[in-house]
Amino acid sequence: KMKLFRLGVEDFGISPTGKLPEYFQIVSCSSIIPLKRLALIAEVLNSSKLPIRWTHFGGESSAIKELQNSLPKLRDEIEIVWKGKVENNEIQSFYASNYIDLLINLSSYEGIPVSMMEAISFGIPLFSNSVGGIPEITSEKTGVLVLEGLPVKSLVSQLEDFLLSGKTRDLKFRTEVKQFWAMNFSAQHNHKLVIQHLFENAFSISKQFR
């Protein structure tokens, strides 16, 4: 009675692999609402001892200001860049022209976010918690899947282990992340499957409605 066809995103290239920044570049992309838990991401990154630049895409200016005012004092080795609401092509341009270590998502619930599909289409690894459909896109093949409800200390430890392992800056691993996207979340590939299925089943479907 039912058949699964995944969504997908287009191929806009791969993130650059030239000179690496001295800090770890981390991105997130979501609205700023409670279930997205941006404050938790901020706490995890601020609790790390690693040099980090966190760039967030999404959110109204009023929500950004409210979140900024609620954050504790930031350590010297972290920089936060609030991009706010931007056109999708601006995000793609950023991914295509900046070396990004990973995309982080610690929402309390998700389906399979398009933001994650877009990230892995550029070969960008993922760091996210196991809720909703997240385990279908985040695994050891694409990054790190952490258990939901872990304390901040554990999240920091797993994040630092992943960043310091060198995998986010390993071309072979990043290529494998892109290959996972191509096999599972490529719009061109997935849309063809839908069309093929409809053509193959057109006769039996039409009979049902006669």
Side-chain angles (χ1 to χ4, degrees), residues 58-83:
E60 303 288 349
S61 57
S62 57
I64 292 173
K65 186 174 182 179
E66 183 178 347
L67 180 59
Q68 286 177 314
N69 292 336
S70 69
L71 296 180
K73 179 176 170 53
L74 299 177
R75 60 190 175 91
D76 293 337
E77 295 80 12
I78 185 171
E79 177 186 1
I80 303 179
V81 180
W82 302 101
K83 292 288 189 177

Side-chain angles (χ1 to χ4, degrees), residues 155-169:
L155 292 172
V156 172
S157 177
Q158 292 192 49
L159 177 69
E160 290 185 338
D161 286 348
F162 185 49
L163 291 173
L164 293 175
S165 72
K167 292 191 75 172
T168 70
R169 300 189 169 191

Side-chain angles (χ1 to χ4, degrees), residues 25 41-42 52 60 64 72 115 122 124 128 130 153 210:
Q25 175 114 267
I41 293 178
I52 289 172
E60 303 288 349
I64 292 173
S115 61
F122 284 90
I124 299 170
S128 49
S130 182
K153 185 177 180 180
R210 286 178 183 172

Side-chain angles (χ1 to χ4, degrees), residues 17-122:
T17 55
K19 184 179 179 181
L20 301 176
E22 296 179 355
Y23 49 81
F24 291 102
Q25 175 114 267
I26 294 176
V27 298
S28 55
C29 181
S30 72
S31 54
I32 301 178
I33 55 178
L35 73 85
K36 299 299 182 179
R37 300 199 293 204
L38 271 294
L40 176 59
I41 293 178
E43 185 177 3
V44 169
L45 300 184
N46 198 36
S47 298
S48 171
K49 295 180 180 179
L50 300 178
I52 289 172
R53 173 181 285 177
W54 172 31
T55 302
H56 178 75
F57 291 93
E60 303 288 349
S61 57
S62 57
I64 292 173
K65 186 174 182 179
E66 183 178 347
L67 180 59
Q68 286 177 314
N69 292 336
S70 69
L71 296 180
K73 179 176 170 53
L74 299 177
R75 60 190 175 91
D76 293 337
E77 295 80 12
I78 185 171
E79 177 186 1
I80 303 179
V81 180
W82 302 101
K83 292 288 189 177
K85 270 191 171 183
V86 298
E87 295 292 331
N88 188 250
N89 59 7
E90 185 173 333
I91 299 174
Q92 293 161 358
S93 177
F94 185 86
Y95 290 173
S97 57
N98 291 273
Y99 195 96
I100 300 165
D101 286 279
L102 59 84
L103 179 140
I104 187 169
N105 183 311
L106 296 176
S107 298
S108 58
Y109 186 77
E110 289 282 5
I112 304 179
V114 172
S115 61
M116 288 190 173
M117 299 180 199
E118 290 181 336
I120 63 174
S121 77
F122 284 90

Side-chain angles (χ1 to χ4, degrees), residues 4-7 109-113 116-117 120 126 128-145 177 180-181 183-185 190:
L4 171 67
F5 291 100
R6 298 185 186 277
L7 292 175
Y109 186 77
E110 289 282 5
I112 304 179
M116 288 190 173
M117 299 180 199
I120 63 174
L126 306 173
S128 49
N129 55 331
S130 182
V131 295
I134 296 296
E136 296 181 42
I137 191 170
T138 305
S139 68
E140 69 278 357
K141 294 180 180 179
T142 58
V144 176
L145 181 70
V177 171
F180 180 88
W181 161 82
M183 292 298 297
N184 296 278
F185 297 102
N190 291 358

